[in-house]
Amino acid sequence: MQSMPEKTVSTKDIYTGKVITVKVSTVEIKDQKYSQREIVTHPGGACVVAINESKKIILVRQFRKPIENYTIELPAGKLESNEDPKNCIKRELHEETGYISHDIKFIQSFYTSPGFSTERIYIYFAKVKEKNEPNPEDDEMIDVLEVSLNEALDMIKRNEISDAKTIIGINWLKDNQNELL
């Protein structure tokens, strides 16, 4: 096994917020040289490719302040402290869309921007049947959309869906539709 090419010498917390922590680490690299790394610590999140009985993908539309625009995304949420991603997605799917699923399958996980962030997203697949009223958090304004796989793929082509986790999930469904739909 290779040794780590960087050794952390010191770390300074710059900002601690509700969702993220920003820190600067000084690292020793080869030949006793030093460099700084800016790191955003994030607890991670989970999302779900949820399909209803009509074989429609459940999506949510919401305003995202960092990009000053609306996005269309898979239902998703931030992991709470030590939370199992599968439990997170059950909670978020119900809160955001009203749908309930008891049969959830792990697809994959990925790091969103490993060059500066620890955020890792876990993607699941679920078939949903039961539906109640959505119960989003007080600061969330969410519209629920139900679209076919072909409609979702067209939305990606037209850049109406530009969220990475959603593009990954929809393309996974496209590649696995014969076994699932």
Side-chain angles (χ1 to χ4, degrees), residues 51-53 98-102 126-132:
I51 304 297
N52 67 17
E53 291 179 300
Y99 278 104
I100 299 169
S101 177
H102 305 286
K127 289 186 178 179
V128 295
K129 295 178 182 173
E130 248 181 285
K131 187 171 195 277
N132 298 321

Side-chain angles (χ1 to χ4, degrees), residues 42-49 73-80 83-93 96 106 108 119-124 165:
H42 186 283
C47 69
V48 63
V49 180
E73 306 174 28
L74 295 172
K78 178 180 71 68
L79 294 172
E80 300 300 330
E83 182 178 28
D84 181 325
K86 190 174 185 177
N87 291 336
C88 173
I89 203 50
K90 285 180 181 180
R91 180 188 73 245
E92 292 294 334
L93 179 64
E96 293 183 357
F106 175 73
Q108 73 177 76
E119 182 183 30
R120 185 176 193 170
I121 302 290
Y122 297 84
I123 306 177
Y124 290 85
K165 68 186 177 299

Side-chain angles (χ1 to χ4, degrees), residues 33-170:
K33 293 181 182 172
Y34 297 89
S35 188
Q36 289 192 324
R37 304 290 184 243
E38 297 171 351
I39 300 169
V40 175
T41 302
H42 186 283
C47 69
V48 63
V49 180
I51 304 297
N52 67 17
E53 291 179 300
S54 301
K55 297 184 180 179
K56 300 278 186 164
I57 303 169
I58 311 304
L59 298 170
V60 294
R61 181 180 180 268
Q62 58 187 327
F63 185 76
R64 295 297 196 179
K65 185 63 180 170
I67 63 170
E68 293 289 345
N69 208 345
Y70 287 88
T71 61
I72 297 173
E73 306 174 28
L74 295 172
K78 178 180 71 68
L79 294 172
E80 300 300 330
S81 180
N82 298 315
E83 182 178 28
D84 181 325
K86 190 174 185 177
N87 291 336
C88 173
I89 203 50
K90 285 180 181 180
R91 180 188 73 245
E92 292 294 334
L93 179 64
H94 184 256
E95 282 179 10
E96 293 183 357
T97 71
Y99 278 104
I100 299 169
S101 177
H102 305 286
D103 182 28
I104 298 177
K105 173 186 169 187
F106 175 73
I107 297 173
Q108 73 177 76
S109 67
F110 67 95
Y111 289 99
T112 59
S113 295
F116 70 88
S117 175
T118 64
E119 182 183 30
R120 185 176 193 170
I121 302 290
Y122 297 84
I123 306 177
Y124 290 85
F125 172 77
K127 289 186 178 179
V128 295
K129 295 178 182 173
E130 248 181 285
K131 187 171 195 277
N132 298 321
E133 283 298 312
N135 186 23
E137 294 181 27
D138 291 339
D139 64 346
E140 292 181 317
M141 292 174 286
I142 295 174
D143 296 317
V144 178
L145 309 172
E146 299 180 7
V147 302
S148 70
L149 175 58
N150 285 335
E151 289 171 314
L153 291 168
D154 287 343
M155 292 169 82
I156 292 170
K157 287 178 189 170
R158 293 190 305 266
N159 205 34
E160 292 172 31
I161 295 176
S162 57
D163 173 66
K165 68 186 177 299
T166 304
I167 293 170
I168 291 169
I170 289 170

